């Protein structure tokens, strides 16, 4: 019987440093993301952060219009990270096998960190590839028309950006340890523009992932910010609970899911934590808040009672969180209740860039499982925020 080895990785990218005169000329043209020397000098003092992070993306501080203009980048303004594996003498994307009791998302963050030496957060999803294990290291891999009984390797890929050393320290307890790969596994790391990377990559399958990355850049994904919608963990039954609904807590099983969910939220590095002030929502984010040392912001319009009284106010509250995330380049996690989620979904579908993406926002109750999340990747456009990617975030309770 054939065996499938699951793996995950990604394309780690950053902005190139541009001379001031080039930056000014590009800014005047208004057709690309430009970062001036002021922001790139800040990045130089924090080498684990991308240029965009130095302008405020990873740290949650606002990027000044004087230092950055956000839009669709020229491809030669972007650099991607390739790693060299001495065992196969090949250049490829950082990636590796999924460990037992580990999600693909977590494996991607861990493997990219291990192989590049940079702490990263995930961005929009790119795609996956599958090929026979016997063709590991081969330049031309068969992704179709191979024998059905052969052992295969299945790899999922994300976009990824480096986060600041401060953010790395804050999320360590939630994410878990990441150890640098041995030199026998990875012996060199280089940064190249996409065109040069295409020529440097050894494998045809990796070039396919690069093409998907280019497609994402054209969508504006280089500036996408995750807004993570969280449904609280399983709560005590309404019929058996003797207190008020606002004080109804999560169950031990719900607490386990909330703890496990922290492991997954860390993959996106949310720096702003917002929640309905009702106990079951606060308890769901409490572990992540404690692990990262980040406070929770209470949003009264997101309670069940407030939503029932004024659904529009609940949407406006959530929409303001999207605007805040985009303005401050601040990834966010927002916890709320089932009825509120249904109302929010009704509005979010109109922000999706395609009908197929909108269909991922389920129209029927319960909308999402308890203790799970959806990572919505938003970009700013002249017509307001748009959602370009939606990823399910499910905890692994074992």
């Amino acid at each position: 019987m054939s065996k499938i080895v699951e793996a995950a990785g990604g394309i780690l990218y950053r902005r190139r440093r541009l001379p001031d005169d080039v930056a000014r000329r590009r800014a005047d043209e208004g057709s690309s993301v430009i970062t001036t020397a002021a922001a790139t000098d800040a990045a130089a003092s924090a080498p684990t952060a991308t240029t965009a992070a130095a302008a405020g993306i990873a740290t949650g501080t606002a990027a000044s219009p004087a230092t950055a203009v956000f839009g669709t980048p020229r491809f030669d303004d972007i650099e991607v990270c390739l790693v060299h594996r001495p065992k196969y003498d090949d250049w490829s994307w950082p990636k590796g096998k999924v460990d037992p009791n580990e999600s693909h998302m977590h494996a991607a963050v861990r493997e990219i960190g291990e192989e590049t030496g940079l702490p990263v957060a995930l961005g929009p999803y790119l795609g996956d590839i599958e090929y026979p294990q016997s063709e590991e290291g081969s330049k031309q891999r068969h992704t179709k028309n191979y024998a059905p009984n052969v052992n295969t390797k299945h790899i999922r890929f994300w976009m990824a950006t480096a986060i600041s050393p401060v953010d790395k320290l804050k999320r360590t307890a939630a994410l878990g340890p990441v150890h640098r790969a041995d030199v026998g596994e990875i012996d060199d790391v280089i940064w190249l523009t996409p065109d040069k990377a295409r020529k440097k990559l050894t494998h045809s399958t990796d070039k396919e992932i690069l093409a998907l990355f280019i497609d994402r850049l054209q969508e504006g994904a280089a500036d996408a910010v995750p807004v993570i919608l969280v449904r609280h963990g399983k709560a005590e039954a309404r019929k058996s609970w003797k207190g008020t609904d606002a004080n109804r807590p999560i169950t031990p099983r719900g607490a386990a899911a909330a703890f496990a969910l922290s492991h997954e939220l860390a993959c996106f590095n949310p720096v702003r934590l917002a929640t309905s002030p009702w106990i079951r929502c606060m308890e769901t984010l409490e572990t992540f808040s404690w692990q990262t040392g980040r406070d929770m912001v209470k949003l009264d319009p997101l309670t069940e009672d407030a939503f029932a009284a004024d659904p529009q106010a609940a949407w406006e509250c959530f929409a303001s969180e999207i605007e805040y995330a985009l303005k401050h380049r601040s990834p966010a996690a927002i916890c709320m209740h089932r009825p509120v989620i249904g109302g929010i979904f009704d509005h979010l579908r109109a922000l999706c860039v395609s009908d197929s993406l909108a269909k991922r926002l389920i129209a029927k109750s319960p909308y999402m499982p308890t203790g799970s999340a959806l990572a919505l990747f938003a970009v700013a456009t002249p017509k307001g925020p748009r959602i370009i990617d939606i990823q399910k975030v499910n905890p692994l309770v074992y």
Side-chain angles (χ1 to χ4, degrees), residues 68-91:
V69 178
F70 293 96
T72 303
R74 295 170 187 253
F75 298 142
D76 59 359
D77 292 344
I78 291 285
E79 290 180 322
V80 295
C81 185
L82 278 63
V83 297
H84 183 261
R85 302 188 298 176
K87 179 179 179 179
Y88 302 103
D89 188 24
D90 64 0
W91 288 97

Side-chain angles (χ1 to χ4, degrees), residues 6-351:
E6 295 291 342
I11 296 185
L12 175 60
Y13 68 97
R14 69 184 183 188
R15 310 286 184 184
R16 290 181 64 200
R17 178 171 179 167
L18 299 175
D20 284 350
D21 58 336
V22 175
R24 284 192 294 269
R25 184 172 68 252
R26 296 278 185 86
D28 290 339
E29 293 172 0
S31 59
S32 65
V33 175
I34 306 301
T35 309
T36 65
T40 50
D41 287 344
S45 65
T48 59
T50 61
T51 302
I57 292 179
T59 60
T61 56
S64 165
T67 59
V69 178
F70 293 96
T72 303
R74 295 170 187 253
F75 298 142
D76 59 359
D77 292 344
I78 291 285
E79 290 180 322
V80 295
C81 185
L82 278 63
V83 297
H84 183 261
R85 302 188 298 176
K87 179 179 179 179
Y88 302 103
D89 188 24
D90 64 0
W91 288 97
S92 63
W93 307 121
K95 61 186 181 299
K97 296 178 182 178
V98 176
D99 285 342
N101 299 319
E102 183 181 39
S103 69
H104 285 80
M105 289 176 178
H106 191 274
V109 173
R110 178 181 54 77
E111 287 289 348
I112 296 171
E114 288 177 352
E115 296 193 356
T116 67
L118 297 175
V120 305
L122 297 184
Y125 183 66
L126 292 175
D128 62 337
I129 58 174
E130 188 171 312
Y131 55 85
Q133 288 189 51
S134 60
E135 295 181 4
E136 186 68 60
S138 173
K139 290 184 178 181
Q140 295 296 326
R141 293 168 172 166
H142 290 84
T143 57
K144 299 178 181 178
N145 301 323
Y146 51 80
N149 60 341
V150 302
N151 293 337
T152 58
K153 189 171 185 179
H154 177 251
I155 313 172
R156 299 181 65 183
F157 289 91
W158 278 263
M159 295 177 68
T161 52
I163 63 174
S164 72
V166 172
D167 280 356
K168 174 190 175 183
L169 289 174
K170 282 183 172 291
R171 78 163 186 185
T172 295
L175 183 74
V178 177
H179 304 292
R180 187 66 190 270
D182 184 80
V183 68
E185 181 182 356
I186 301 296
D187 63 356
D188 200 4
V189 177
I190 59 173
W191 292 86
L192 299 172
T193 61
D195 282 344
K196 292 182 179 179
R198 184 180 291 105
K199 297 175 183 178
K200 190 73 170 178
L201 287 166
T202 303
H203 307 292
S204 57
T205 49
D206 286 337
K207 295 177 183 180
E208 293 172 9
I209 296 299
L210 178 60
L212 295 175
F213 174 77
I214 295 298
D215 290 342
R216 281 295 195 190
L217 290 184
Q218 292 174 330
E219 290 181 319
D223 292 316
V225 178
V227 177
I228 307 168
L229 195 160
V230 180
R231 185 181 175 195
H232 65 73
K234 179 66 176 178
E236 295 286 354
R238 296 177 192 268
K239 292 182 179 180
S240 61
W241 177 244
K242 304 301 183 183
T244 65
D245 195 24
N247 290 327
R248 185 158 56 92
I250 56 177
T251 65
R253 180 174 293 181
F259 181 86
L261 186 61
S262 296
H263 211 46
E264 309 305 318
L265 294 178
C267 297
F268 302 97
N269 190 41
V271 300
R272 179 175 169 84
L273 308 180
T275 178
S276 157
W278 285 11
I279 292 298
R280 51 190 179 274
C281 285
M282 295 186 64
E283 286 180 332
T284 301
L285 284 186
E286 190 172 30
T287 297
F288 190 77
S289 173
W290 167 70
Q291 288 174 328
T292 60
R294 300 190 186 280
D295 295 331
M296 292 187 289
V297 178
K298 300 177 183 178
L299 302 177
D300 291 331
L302 298 186
T303 69
E304 288 193 39
D305 286 351
F307 172 75
D310 193 346
Q312 184 61 28
W315 164 244
E316 290 173 358
C317 176
F318 189 85
S320 70
E321 289 294 317
I322 297 177
E323 295 282 0
Y324 183 94
L326 289 171
K327 178 180 179 180
H328 297 274
R329 317 302 303 165
S330 176
I334 308 167
C335 189
M336 63 190 73
H337 311 265
R338 176 186 54 80
V340 188
I341 291 171
I344 296 298
F345 276 12
D346 288 341
H347 292 276
L348 288 175
R349 292 188 194 96
L351 301 186

